[in-house]
């Protein structure tokens, strides 16, 4: 009975947020196109590969940056801005009156947005294969399922990290500024700017112990069939998720006391 109730609540929340996202399909399409940075960088790396050796062929660069584009569509997160807005405007008080942790509202909202975005993503990928027919490939079923699983974990990891930064809004009105600093490291170290193969060996070994490459590079590399240490990746992702979750819950408990003390 309890599981049936939880399923019904989650289903209702998902359908509600999905319907809401469908009202903004034009904006979703613009957001999707605004994440075309991997294609721009792909052109730059293709040009650079003509004059140097980077351990990757032109075809591998093309497929890699297409995979990066796909993965990024599933791990885009904006929860810190929503949470900051709710807290500053006082809307969080209404959330706290509900028997559901606000965390689940934000998470299901993001998941619903992924489903609303998916058809447009499929069309853009098909268009990409028309423009670059030599890049066409279909991952094996096992590879596709593993990549999908890791994309989901990568999204949860990034969501948890950003939501944890959002907890700082209990003490400052500009918690999103911290996310912007974090985003700079994310862009350079996650594999969006360049695959980790072009990093110096020492730098690559250090970066692989941070959460950044597992949000984009790791699932992208698996999707295109690169050889990576799967178990190390899953272990590092799980470790960072555990640490972030503990910090998140601690900040939430402290923050709620702070919020209540301010007269909420």
């Amino acid at each position: 009975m309890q599981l049936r109730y939880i399923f019904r609540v989650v289903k209702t929340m998902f359908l509600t947020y999905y319907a809401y996202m469908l009202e903004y399909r034009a904006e979703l399409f613009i957001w999707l196109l605004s994440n075309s940075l991997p294609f721009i960088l792909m052109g730059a790396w293709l040009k650079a590969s003509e004059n140097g050796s980077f351990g990757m062929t032109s075809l591998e660069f093309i497929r890699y940056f297409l995979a990066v584009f796909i993965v990024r569509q599933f791990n885009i997160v904006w929860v810190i801005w929503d949470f900051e807005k709710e807290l500053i405007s006082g809307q969080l008080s209404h959330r706290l009156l509900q028997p559901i942790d606000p965390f689940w509202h934000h998470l299901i909202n993001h998941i619903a947005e992924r489903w609303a975005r998916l058809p447009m993503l499929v069309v853009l990928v098909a268009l990409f294969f028309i423009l670059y027919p030599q890049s066409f490939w279909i991952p094996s079923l096992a590879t596709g399922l593993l990549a999908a699983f890791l994309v989901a974990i990568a999204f949860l990891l990034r969501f948890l990290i950003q939501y944890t930064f959002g907890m700082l809004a209990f003490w400052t009105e500009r918690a999103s500024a911290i996310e912007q600093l974090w985003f700079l490291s994310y862009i350079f170290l996650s594999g969006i700017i360049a695959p980790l193969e072009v990093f110096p060996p020492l730098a690559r070994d250090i970066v692989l112990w941070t959460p950044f490459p597992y949000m984009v590079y790791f699932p992208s590399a698996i999707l295109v069939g690169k050889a990576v240490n799967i178990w190390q990746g899953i272990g590092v992702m799980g470790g960072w998720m555990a640490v972030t979750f503990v910090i998140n819950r601690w900040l939430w408990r402290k923050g709620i006391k702070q919020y209540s003390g301010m007269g909420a």
Side-chain angles (χ1 to χ4, degrees), residues 49-242:
S49 65
E50 297 176 357
N51 304 316
S53 176
F54 296 99
M56 294 177 62
T57 65
S58 297
L59 181 59
E60 288 176 328
F61 272 116
I62 292 174
R63 289 180 175 176
Y64 171 77
F65 280 107
L66 173 61
V68 168
F69 174 76
I70 294 172
V71 170
R72 285 198 71 201
Q73 301 308 315
F74 291 98
N75 68 10
I76 294 172
V77 178
W78 62 88
V79 63
I80 190 170
W81 288 276
D82 282 354
F83 186 82
E84 188 178 74
K85 178 181 177 182
E86 287 183 357
L87 197 151
I88 294 175
S89 65
Q91 294 177 7
L92 181 61
S93 300
H94 299 288
R95 295 284 195 201
L96 295 176
L97 294 175
Q98 301 175 9
I100 301 175
D101 192 305
F103 171 88
W104 296 107
H105 281 280
H106 294 295
L107 180 62
I108 295 175
N109 183 22
H110 279 65
I111 294 174
E113 192 271 349
R114 303 298 108 105
W115 281 98
R117 179 191 295 255
L118 185 58
M120 293 178 283
L121 175 60
V122 171
V123 171
L124 285 181
V125 171
L127 179 60
F128 182 90
F129 284 140
I130 293 174
L131 296 175
Y132 295 93
Q134 74 276 17
S135 67
F136 181 79
W137 93 100
I138 299 178
S140 66
L141 179 60
T143 299
L145 291 176
L146 178 60
F149 170 74
L150 293 174
V151 166
I153 299 301
F155 158 69
L156 288 175
L157 175 59
R158 187 162 185 231
F159 181 89
L160 267 175
I161 290 174
Q162 191 178 108
Y163 192 58
T164 300
F165 286 145
M167 296 295 103
L168 299 178
F170 284 114
W171 295 275
T172 175
E173 295 182 357
R174 294 298 299 165
S176 55
I178 300 174
E179 161 64 18
Q180 292 170 1
L181 292 175
W182 171 271
F183 186 73
L184 292 176
S185 299
Y186 166 75
I187 284 289
F188 284 100
L189 302 179
S190 66
I192 295 176
I193 297 293
L196 263 62
E197 283 81 359
V198 305
F199 282 37
L202 179 59
R204 182 169 62 247
D205 292 341
I206 294 174
V207 169
L208 285 173
W209 291 104
T210 70
F212 300 109
Y214 301 99
M215 299 179 193
V216 178
Y217 170 81
F218 189 55
S220 299
I222 289 177
L223 188 60
V224 298
K226 288 182 176 294
V228 295
N229 191 328
I230 296 175
W231 292 113
Q232 175 187 332
I234 293 176
V236 173
M237 293 171 82
W240 278 105
M241 287 184 69

